[in-house]
Amino acid sequence: MSRTHLSLFAALAVLAGSSGAALLAAPAGAATSSIPCSVDYKVQNQWDTGFTAAVTITNNAAAKSSWSLKWSYAGNQQVTSGWNAQITQSGAAVTVANESYNNTLASGGSVSFGFNGTYTGTNALPATFTLDGVTCNVDDGSGSSGGGTGGGGGDGGTGNRVDNPYAGTKGYVDPEWSAKAAAEPGGSRIANQSTAVWLDRIAAIDGVNGGMGLRAHLDEALKQKGSGNLVIQLVIYDLPGRDCAALASNGELGPNDLDKYKSQYIDPIATILADPKYAGLRIATVIEPDSLPNLVTNAGGTNTTTDACVIMKSNGNYEKGVSYALGKLGTIPNVYNYLDAGHHGWLGWDTNLGPSVQEFAKVATSNGASVNDVAGFIVNTANYGPVTEPNVKVTDTVNGQTVRQSKWVDWNQYVDEQSYALGLRDKLIAAGFDSGLGMLIDTSRDGWGGTARPTGPGPLTSVDAYVNGGRIDRRVHVGNWCNQSGAGLGQRPTAAPAAGVDAYVWVKPPGQSDGSSTAIPNDEGKGFDRMCDPTYGGNARNGNNPSGALPNAPLAGHWFSAQFQQLMQNAYPPLP
């Protein structure tokens, strides 16, 4: 996929069901005013002597400028390492305080952190949580009820839309991806994670080379669902002239094949998803990664322009195709459309962000589509941008210079994906999208752990030294997108990790290549992009920097064992 930008030249569940699907739990009691605060504490992974936990706090009282959460264990659990918070433990008592970058907790807002721990015997849940001395998950007597640890709620399988389709659900585990992951040494540690199913050609609807088609995945999702709720993620990815600024992920349809896209791709998908058999599933669709951002940055008058993108902007088939997909799929009550919005290193400049919002609003209100057909937007799809940069804030200055003047940031308004997602969300709502708009962040490969991960800010000798020494994103350039060397698995799929964010998701299945590092003949319409060549010196879209790509990569979407092993090795949070 093209990941370019226009620079400013000028319950808890360890395993859920037999499938091992991870439970995505929303903060219990959120938006229930009689409960001053709620805490969702869930164990994401557990083994004989250790575990990984994720905690989300929701504040239903007055806004806070700092916060402190406390609980005590009934057993011998010991916190060994944590992230996104300062965690200390004395005996059984645990105290968690905010970091400087997440100290603010708005009324109705949420904040999340995680940690690794050890235990022997039984790893029981903490019974009581207090936020700044106030007991959470308990009704204060004003007449409402609710609250508690773990996830719950949902639509009960009725097919009625909920505010956040990821809340209180299992996530669908793709058996085909899971089997490949489990076959890798150490891969069983993550083979139970929920990943998206990519419908990247017409043949994928029925299944390619004997693989599972759409109905097979939905039938398997029903089995994994059981009596609870389950969300299955589908990537709708076969536009005419697909991915006009890259070659590795070009598609099967020509620039003018809009009618074929509608009748042979979107219509059959919509027919299957509308089958009453699947009404109890929550279906999250990621609509056409790369398409609309390419129209903003790569289709007009700059040295990032490509002829292919100019054609797609001129004929309007990206816009018409995306509008058609939104309108057609948006009529199905249990489908939640998330429109792709690039990433901070692509659209994070003011000159890109404003036009992008206008483009999104145009597409969502034309050719039969409505803003009501858009549940939210997704950022960082198949990309590598960290959720947060703990050591670098866009407001930092060094010797009187803002970090925006550094070569890496290059005057961008954002340095990470969550700030970009929430900034974009505000602008989208102002442009007419629903105030309940939810954002997704693809965290499948943005962990950047391992020995190269900085442990603190860079030196104050210069703004470049400060940024380069402290940034956890270790890419050569923020525009690099293909099979990046040094990358690691990011935060595991989690619902409602922050206010305005529906979920962290793994849309790009870890281990699937972004593109081949050399030309490989194929019948999938996929070309050779030099950004996937580790010997390539770059172009204007990545500041003429090396590609940073891994060698010996297969075609886009094919299994890349060496990359999968690297992702596990550099995972952050670390794998057990």
Side-chain angles (χ1 to χ4, degrees):
M1 290 186 183
S2 170
R3 283 296 179 269
T4 59
H5 77 276
L6 178 61
S7 178
L8 277 183
F9 310 90
L12 165 85
V14 181
L15 299 176
S18 60
S19 69
L23 180 68
L24 300 177
T32 306
S33 60
S34 64
I35 301 174
C37 50
S38 60
V39 176
D40 170 34
Y41 176 113
K42 60 180 178 289
V43 175
Q44 293 186 309
N45 198 5
Q46 183 169 299
W47 56 101
D48 290 344
T49 60
F51 66 100
T52 299
V55 182
T56 297
I57 307 166
T58 299
N59 173 37
N60 295 321
K64 298 176 180 293
S65 58
S66 64
W67 52 267
S68 175
L69 181 72
K70 296 182 179 181
W71 72 80
S72 292
Y73 284 117
N76 61 357
Q77 295 96 326
Q78 290 290 319
V79 175
T80 57
S81 63
W83 47 93
N84 293 338
Q86 302 176 47
I87 308 175
T88 57
Q89 184 170 356
S90 177
V94 177
T95 300
V96 183
N98 60 269
E99 295 281 10
S100 60
Y101 56 83
N102 62 2
N103 59 305
T104 301
L105 190 51
S107 179
S110 298
V111 66
S112 299
F113 61 90
F115 62 91
N116 292 324
T118 62
Y119 76 102
T120 57
T122 301
N123 186 17
L125 284 172
T128 303
F129 299 89
T130 61
L131 180 65
D132 297 331
V134 176
T135 302
C136 298
N137 302 334
V138 175
D139 194 322
D140 68 3
S142 64
S144 298
S145 62
T149 55
D155 55 10
T158 65
N160 296 321
R161 283 202 180 99
V162 295
D163 179 59
N164 180 356
Y166 290 84
T169 69
K170 299 174 185 177
Y172 175 65
V173 177
D174 178 352
E176 294 181 318
W177 174 83
S178 181
K180 291 176 181 177
E184 293 281 345
S188 60
R189 293 174 294 174
I190 64 163
N192 68 326
Q193 294 294 344
S194 175
T195 57
V197 175
W198 286 66
L199 301 174
D200 62 352
R201 55 192 127 157
I202 292 168
I205 299 171
D206 293 327
V208 178
N209 297 327
M212 295 173 70
L214 179 55
R215 281 196 180 273
H217 280 293
L218 294 172
D219 289 340
E220 173 63 22
L222 287 175
K223 294 177 184 177
Q224 294 183 20
K225 175 182 180 295
S227 59
N229 291 315
L230 179 140
V231 60
I232 179 173
Q233 303 166 110
L234 306 174
V235 181
I236 307 301
Y237 189 53
D238 200 27
L239 270 180
R242 187 179 73 193
D243 216 348
C244 59
L247 298 173
S249 47
N250 286 168
E252 63 187 348
L253 300 181
N256 296 311
D257 285 339
L258 180 63
D259 289 342
K260 189 174 183 180
Y261 174 77
K262 292 179 179 180
S263 63
Q264 297 186 32
Y265 182 69
I266 293 297
D267 288 355
I269 291 173
T271 297
I272 294 171
L273 298 187
D275 189 330
K277 177 181 182 181
Y278 306 121
L281 297 172
R282 298 180 185 178
I283 302 169
T285 56
V286 172
I287 305 296
E288 296 295 353
D290 292 336
S291 58
L292 302 182
N294 268 322
L295 295 186
V296 174
T297 64
N298 298 321
T302 72
N303 60 357
T304 66
T305 297
T306 70
D307 291 342
C309 288
V310 171
I311 291 172
M312 297 317 301
K313 186 170 184 176
S314 175
N315 67 21
N317 284 345
Y318 274 7
E319 295 175 337
K320 295 170 188 174
V322 170
S323 293
Y324 187 80
L326 289 173
K328 193 78 174 181
L329 301 176
T331 63
I332 305 170
N334 57 317
V335 170
Y336 299 79
N337 290 324
Y338 289 87
L339 193 55
D340 182 76
H343 58 88
H344 87 276
W346 189 352
L347 302 182
W349 290 265
D350 284 343
T351 49
N352 293 346
L353 196 58
S356 296
V357 171
Q358 294 174 17
E359 180 67 37
F360 298 145
K362 175 184 177 182
V363 169
T365 55
S366 60
N367 304 308
S370 160
V371 292
N372 295 327
D373 296 320
V374 181
F377 286 74
I378 181 169
V379 303
N380 207 44
T381 304
N383 208 252
Y384 298 86
V387 172
T388 59
E389 279 284 3
N391 305 320
V392 179
K393 296 190 293 295
V394 75
T395 54
D396 289 346
T397 59
V398 178
N399 299 328
Q401 286 187 300
T402 170
V403 299
R404 295 183 63 219
Q405 294 176 258
S406 68
K407 184 177 180 180
W408 173 261
V409 180
D410 190 25
W411 294 102
N412 202 314
Q413 295 286 2
Y414 305 97
V415 296
D416 53 41
E417 291 304 310
Q418 189 150 293
S419 62
Y420 165 67
L422 295 177
L424 173 63
R425 179 179 183 271
D426 289 342
K427 294 181 184 296
L428 289 165
I429 292 171
F433 285 92
D434 188 86
S435 60
L437 201 67
M439 307 301 286
L440 302 179
I441 303 175
D442 187 353
T443 62
S444 55
R445 304 182 300 179
D446 69 351
W448 296 104
T451 57
R453 182 183 178 92
T455 58
L460 297 175
T461 52
S462 72
V463 69
D464 283 321
Y466 176 78
V467 172
N468 290 331
R471 61 180 169 91
I472 60 172
D473 186 340
R474 305 315 298 170
R475 284 179 289 180
V476 179
H477 187 272
V478 74
N480 288 354
W481 54 268
C482 194
N483 302 323
Q484 291 300 284
S485 177
L489 300 169
Q491 296 196 46
R492 316 312 180 242
T494 308
V501 180
D502 279 355
Y504 297 152
V505 293
W506 281 11
V507 166
K508 177 69 172 182
Q512 289 188 3
S513 173
D514 294 319
S516 60
S517 50
T518 57
I520 299 176
N522 67 92
D523 60 358
E524 300 175 29
K526 296 169 182 175
F528 168 52
D529 196 302
R530 290 297 305 279
M531 287 298 291
C532 300
D533 177 358
T535 69
Y536 184 47
N539 54 45
R541 292 193 295 276
N542 83 328
N544 296 299
N545 284 283
S547 68
L550 292 169
N552 304 314
L555 288 172
H558 290 227
W559 191 255
F560 191 4
S561 177
Q563 184 194 49
F564 185 78
Q565 289 294 328
Q566 174 193 262
L567 292 171
M568 290 194 297
Q569 178 181 349
N570 294 335
Y572 196 90
L575 295 178

